[in-house]
Amino acid sequence: MRFALFIVSFLFLTTGHALSADPTKCNSHNVRQTSAELIFEYSKCLSENAGGEASKKHLLITDIYIKAWSYSLINKIFFWFSIVAAGLVVLWPSASVILKNKIDEGESLQWIRSPVLQTTITGLAALSFALYTQYKDQQTSAETLMREVFFSSQSVESLAQSSAEELARIDRGFNFGNALEKKSEEP
C-alpha cells in the first residue's frame, strides 16, 4: 500500500511540475526538465513572438510532445517497478535463509520457499525492465524527432509529412520479429 502511495505521489509531482512550468521566458531554461519540455517551452515562446510558420511548427512540436510526455510517464512507472522487482529478485533468497527457523517451525511462511513465486517475481522483473527499455526508447525517439522539427529549415508541410511517418513507426511498439531480424543481420 505504501509503495502504491509513493508511485501515485511521484506521478502527481512529476505531472504537476510539467504543467506548472512558465514557458513565456524564452531565455530562461530549467535544467531539471526533460529535453521534450525544453523544446516545447522554447518553441511556444518563439511562436507567441513570431506567429505564422513558427505557430504551425509549434503545433507540430506540441503533437510530438504529447507522445514524448506520455512515453516519459510510462517509462517512469516501469522504471520504478523494475527497481522494486530487481530488489525482490536479489533479496528473496536471503529471506529464506534469514527466516529459516520461523519457516521450519510453522506452515504460515512456507510460501517464501516457493519456486513458483520466485520464478514469477523474476519474470515480472524481466517484463518490467523490458517495458521500461521499450518506453525509454520511444521517449528518446520522440525527443529526437522534436529536435529535428525544431531545428529544421524545411517547410512545415514537409516536416508534418515526415513527422507523421516517424510517429507511425514509433507507435508500432515492440515487435519480436524486428528483434529477431536485427539479431540475424549481425555478423
Side-chain angles (χ1 to χ4, degrees):
M1 180 65 179
R2 288 182 183 175
F3 178 71
L5 184 60
F6 170 76
I7 293 294
V8 169
S9 299
F10 176 78
L11 295 175
F12 178 74
L13 291 173
T14 304
T15 305
H17 169 71
L19 297 176
S20 66
D22 182 14
T24 58
K25 299 175 184 171
C26 288
N27 293 320
S28 172
H29 306 296
N30 180 359
V31 295
R32 290 184 173 90
Q33 63 188 5
T34 64
S35 296
E37 286 175 293
L38 173 68
I39 294 169
F40 171 76
E41 290 175 6
Y42 196 71
S43 171
K44 182 176 181 179
C45 186
L46 291 179
S47 72
E48 289 172 351
N49 294 331
E53 287 292 306
S55 292
K56 288 180 182 179
K57 192 179 257 193
H58 176 67
L59 178 62
L60 183 55
I61 287 174
T62 301
D63 185 33
I64 302 167
Y65 174 73
I66 291 167
K67 296 277 188 198
W69 183 87
S70 59
Y71 291 140
S72 172
L73 181 64
I74 295 169
N75 164 28
K76 287 176 177 115
I77 291 169
F78 284 114
F79 172 77
W80 287 107
F81 282 149
S82 297
I83 295 296
V84 170
L88 286 173
V89 167
V90 170
L91 297 175
W92 199 271
S94 302
S96 180
V97 173
I98 292 169
L99 300 172
K100 182 179 182 345
N101 292 339
K102 289 185 180 184
I103 292 172
D104 292 341
E105 291 173 5
E107 292 185 23
S108 64
L109 294 176
Q110 289 296 324
W111 58 270
I112 289 177
R113 290 187 178 164
S114 170
V116 172
L117 187 56
Q118 290 178 359
T119 304
T120 302
I121 290 171
T122 304
L124 289 173
L127 177 64
S128 61
F129 182 74
L131 290 171
Y132 158 71
T133 304
Q134 170 69 18
Y135 286 108
K136 183 63 177 177
D137 288 346
Q138 305 283 55
Q139 176 189 352
T140 303
S141 295
E143 288 175 348
T144 300
L145 181 58
M146 286 178 73
R147 284 184 199 95
E148 290 173 3
V149 168
F150 184 80
F151 292 107
S152 177
S153 59
Q154 295 178 2
S155 71
V156 176
E157 290 76 20
S158 173
L159 288 170
Q161 179 63 34
S162 62
S163 295
E165 292 168 5
E166 182 64 13
L167 284 174
R169 185 197 65 76
I170 292 171
D171 280 340
R172 276 191 214 116
F174 187 77
N175 183 341
F176 286 104
N178 289 343
L180 293 175
E181 288 173 10
K182 287 179 185 177
K183 210 172 213 181
S184 65
E185 290 175 2
E186 294 175 0

